[in-house]
Amino acid sequence: MKNICFYFQIHQPDRLRVYRFFDIGKDSHYYDDFVNRTILRRIAQKCYLPMNKVVLDAIKATDGKFKVAYSITGSALEQFERYAPEVIDSFRELAETGSVEFLCETCNHSLSSLRSENEFAHQVRRHKATIEKYFGVTPTTFRNTELIYSDSIGKTVYGLGFKTILTEGARHILGWKSPNYLYSNDIQASQKLLLRNYALSDDIAFRFGSGATTAESFVAKVNAEEGDIVNLFMDYETFGEHQSAETGIFDFMRALPEKALASGIRFVTPAEASKKLKAVAPLSVPHPISWADEERDVTAWLGNELQQDAFNKLYSLVEKLSIIDNADLWADFGRLQESDHFYYMCTKFFSDGDVHKYFNPYDTPYEAFINYMNVLSDFIIRVNDEYATKN
C-alpha cells in the first residue's frame, strides 16, 4: 500500500524595525510590531484559518483517515497569541481529532544546530514544552529548521529523545536511491529518516498556479512513484498566500483526500510511518543539507561573509548569556537567532533569486546586514553591561 505523509511548516519571524546607527545604546526595542501584526493577520485570514477548516473537514469526511503533521515555531505561536488567538484555537480543534501530529523543532526557527549544541538543545526543549503547553501533546518526531540535517545533527537529536527526523531528499545525497523509502541515520542506526519528495512537493508549493495539477493527476503521479511512502513537505503558507485561493489550491486540497483514499493510498503521520515501515538502508549525510535552493545546502543562510560575520558575532554571546541568565536578554537572543534574518542577507541571485526576493523586506542584502548589525550592536552593549554587573 502506498502512503502519503503530509507535513506543513508554520513560521512567522519577528521582523526588525528600521534600526539606525543613532539608535544604538538608546532604544532597545528592535521589532516592527505594526508590520508583524499586519502580516500575521493577513496570512491568518488568507491561509491559516481557511486551510485549517479544509483539513478539519477532510478529517471528518474521511472518519480520521486523512492525516497531517505540523511544525509550528515558538515564534509563530507567540505572534498568534498576541495578534490572532483564533488561529491557536483552530489548531487545538485539529489536535483533538487525533489525526494530526505536532512535531518538535527549534523554538525560534534558528540555525543553532550549526554552531552551538547547548543552545540547540535548549531551543529544542523549549519548543517541546511550548507544544505541550498549547496543544497538550508531547512531540515525538523532530524536524530541524529548514530541514537542516547531517549525521551528527541527527545523533544529537536522537540524544534529545527523538528517534524519527525529517529532512530533504537531496539528489546529491541519494544518488540513485529514491526518497520514497524509510532510511536510517548512518551513525545512529535506531534513528529513522523521512525524506522529502521535492518534485511532488514542489508541484503543489511552487508549480500549482500553472494550472497543470488536479487532484486526479496528482494521485496518478503518486501511484506511479516507486517506494513505500511519498513525503510531501512544504510551507503551510503555500495555501492561500503563496498560491492564492483563485488558483483553486483549496479546492485541490478538498478533493485530494477522497481521491487518494479511493485509489488505495493511505495517509500517515511521520510517527506512524516510522512505526509501520522498515528502514531499507542507512543514509550517509556527512555535511548539512536543507530544503533550500537548488544546492540543498545551508548557503542560503551562511553562504557569504555578511551572513557569517553576523552569525559568528551573535553566537559568540552564548557563554556570557549563560552566566547572566537574564530572561529579557534570552528572549531577544532567541528572536535574533531566527534564520530569516540571515536569509535576508543572501546574495544568491540567478536561479534562486526570485525566491529570496519574495520573502525579503529589504531592497538589498546589504541593507538587511546593516540593519541587523545595528540591532546586534545594541544587544551586545546590553549583554556586556549586564555581564559587568555580575563580575
Side-chain angles (χ1 to χ4, degrees), residues 208-221:
F208 186 85
S210 67
T213 302
T214 65
E216 292 83 356
S217 66
F218 193 80
V219 168
K221 282 187 177 181

Side-chain angles (χ1 to χ4, degrees), residues 134-207:
Y134 281 103
F135 304 115
V137 296
T138 299
T140 59
T141 303
F142 189 82
R143 74 129 257 159
N144 199 12
T145 304
E146 306 294 343
L147 293 186
I148 293 172
Y149 172 81
S150 68
D151 296 331
S152 60
I153 290 173
K155 186 178 180 181
T156 298
V157 169
Y158 187 86
L160 292 169
F162 298 94
K163 296 182 179 180
T164 305
I165 188 167
L166 280 56
T167 189
E168 175 67 18
R171 187 179 301 170
H172 68 280
I173 293 297
L174 282 170
W176 57 268
K177 301 183 187 74
S178 167
N180 302 331
Y181 294 96
L182 195 69
Y183 291 89
S184 62
N185 184 324
D186 193 44
I187 60 175
Q188 180 58 64
S190 298
Q191 185 175 60
K192 306 292 181 60
L193 307 181
L194 285 166
L195 309 182
R196 176 177 178 258
N197 183 313
Y198 64 82
L200 291 184
S201 296
D202 290 353
D203 276 350
I204 300 174
F206 294 108
R207 292 185 285 271

Side-chain angles (χ1 to χ4, degrees), residues 81-100:
E81 190 168 55
R82 194 178 306 132
Y83 304 128
E86 66 272 23
V87 174
I88 294 178
D89 292 337
S90 69
F91 277 113
R92 284 179 175 146
E93 194 172 4
L94 287 171
E96 290 169 359
T97 66
S99 294
V100 171

Side-chain angles (χ1 to χ4, degrees), residues 3 58 62 66 76 82 96 117 150-151 182 196-197 239 275 280 287 337 343 348 352 363 371 385 388:
N3 298 277
T62 61
F66 181 60
R82 194 178 306 132
E96 290 169 359
E117 188 170 325
S150 68
D151 296 331
L182 195 69
R196 176 177 178 258
N197 183 313
F239 305 96
K275 290 178 181 177
V280 296
H287 306 293
Q337 287 184 68
Y343 191 83
K348 292 167 64 176
D352 300 310
D363 290 332
N371 201 62
D385 287 349

Side-chain angles (χ1 to χ4, degrees), residues 2-8 55 59 64-71 94-95 97-103 137-142 164-166 182 192-195 228-233 261 265-277:
K2 190 85 69 179
N3 298 277
I4 286 180
C5 179
F6 263 120
Y7 146 72
F8 302 119
V55 172
I59 291 171
K65 293 177 182 177
F66 181 60
K67 300 178 181 182
V68 301
Y70 295 101
S71 184
L94 287 171
T97 66
S99 294
V100 171
E101 181 181 0
F102 290 90
L103 311 185
V137 296
T138 299
T140 59
T141 303
F142 189 82
T164 305
I165 188 167
L166 280 56
L182 195 69
K192 306 292 181 60
L193 307 181
L194 285 166
L195 309 182
D228 302 320
I229 185 167
V230 173
N231 297 306
L232 303 173
F233 304 163
L261 289 166
I265 293 172
R266 176 175 57 186
F267 291 94
V268 293
T269 64
E272 288 177 338
S274 181
K275 290 178 181 177
K276 292 179 178 179
L277 303 177

